[in-house]
Amino acid sequence: MPDLRNASFKPTPTWYEDADTYWKAVPSSIGGMLGGLDQVHTPDIRDSRAFLTKLQSNPTLSLSTKYACDCGAGIGRVTKNLLLPLFDSVDLVEQNPDFLREARTSYLKQEVQRVPDMFATGLQLFTPPLGRYDVIWCQWVLSHLTDDDMLAFLRRCRQGLTTNGLICVKENVAMEGYVVDSDDSSVTRSPMIFERLFTNAGFKVVDKQTQTDFPHGLFEVCMWAIVPV
């Protein structure tokens, strides 16, 4: 269970190894991707689609729909239901090879020709190909990064974006501070902490939205669109 709110966050020496162990025990299924909360799938995709289509229709952003990247992709739930309907091609980044195998051979089997690359790595090690992506979508995965590694990842993503590309972040948020979960080696940050990290990484927020219609008792979920400055 999560610890109480903390004003600071210090990862354990085995932070990433513990998260890897946790996810290797999770089934390669929609239920596994959602922690057994299958009922959040429909409102999650609905609100994410509304957020992305709003960004794509914003003339000041001039956002292309050619190529997206799904970070922390799991078996491709977000890729299949959100990104592929809106983009020509989508790459997956996922450290668990079992999830990628499920995506390739089953869950995304019908769409796999539109998934040029599947990167089997954690985001703390991932460097996007230069200038490839119109949108880098990060959902329920930055919670597994330390603050320093999140900063470094976002800075590397700058080089992976197209001229008008942007990053979308969708994460659980705490009311304040950090809430650390030792079960899955994750940390829930307040919106203020997220936005400070975005600024420190050299980005600005161009849109923000709160997820609706999730069950009571869950963390609030926020979406941000950020662009380099």
Side-chain angles (χ1 to χ4, degrees):
M1 296 294 294
D3 301 328
L4 297 177
R5 293 192 299 267
N6 296 288
S8 61
F9 161 55
K10 183 177 181 181
T12 64
T14 56
W15 181 257
Y16 291 116
E17 292 85 353
D18 292 345
D20 186 47
T21 298
Y22 174 87
W23 284 104
K24 282 180 176 176
V26 169
S28 299
S29 64
I30 294 297
M33 301 303 96
L34 295 173
L37 296 171
D38 300 51
Q39 68 269 34
V40 309
H41 170 76
T42 297
D44 168 54
I45 295 298
R46 181 200 64 215
D47 282 15
S48 294
R49 184 181 296 116
F51 187 61
L52 255 182
T53 53
K54 180 172 63 169
L55 296 171
Q56 290 174 335
S57 63
N58 185 336
T60 64
L61 295 176
S62 299
L63 187 62
S64 173
T65 59
K66 183 179 179 182
Y67 216 143
C69 182
D70 183 2
C71 293
I75 65 171
R77 182 187 70 91
V78 169
T79 291
K80 184 182 185 76
N81 297 285
L82 172 68
L83 298 176
L84 281 174
L86 297 175
F87 293 88
D88 297 336
S89 301
V90 180
D91 287 344
L92 276 62
V93 185
E94 169 55 54
Q95 71 173 2
N96 188 330
D98 290 338
F99 293 166
L100 290 182
R101 189 176 304 111
E102 176 69 14
R104 184 180 296 107
T105 62
S106 181
Y107 193 69
L108 295 178
K109 186 176 181 180
Q110 301 303 316
E111 302 94 344
V112 73
Q113 71 278 3
R114 295 174 56 205
V115 182
D117 284 309
M118 295 187 182
F119 299 97
T121 185
L123 296 191
Q124 72 275 16
L125 302 173
F126 177 62
T127 298
L130 185 65
R132 178 178 291 189
Y133 300 120
D134 301 304
V135 167
I136 297 176
W137 185 271
C138 303
Q139 179 168 348
W140 291 327
V141 64
L142 297 184
S143 59
H144 289 296
L145 295 184
T146 67
D147 283 359
D148 286 346
D149 283 340
M150 181 175 158
L151 278 170
F153 167 71
L154 291 173
R155 288 166 180 158
R156 293 194 301 274
C157 283
R158 291 173 61 100
Q159 307 305 311
L161 294 173
T162 57
T163 300
N164 294 315
L166 56 80
I167 300 173
C168 288
V169 172
K170 184 168 187 177
E171 291 288 340
N172 295 345
V173 293
M175 292 185 64
E176 60 180 309
Y178 298 86
V179 179
V180 179
D181 190 332
S182 57
D183 289 344
D184 65 357
S185 200
S186 69
V187 58
T188 302
R189 300 169 169 94
S190 71
M192 183 180 298
I193 292 171
F194 269 111
E195 290 170 19
R196 184 179 71 234
L197 289 168
F198 298 156
T199 298
N200 291 344
F203 288 83
K204 67 176 180 179
V205 176
V206 294
D207 207 343
K208 181 179 179 180
Q209 184 172 307
T210 301
Q211 173 68 46
T212 63
D213 295 334
F214 269 15
H216 294 296
L218 301 181
F219 282 113
E220 186 176 82
V221 175
C222 284
M223 290 176 273
W224 293 269
I226 60 175
V227 298
V229 294

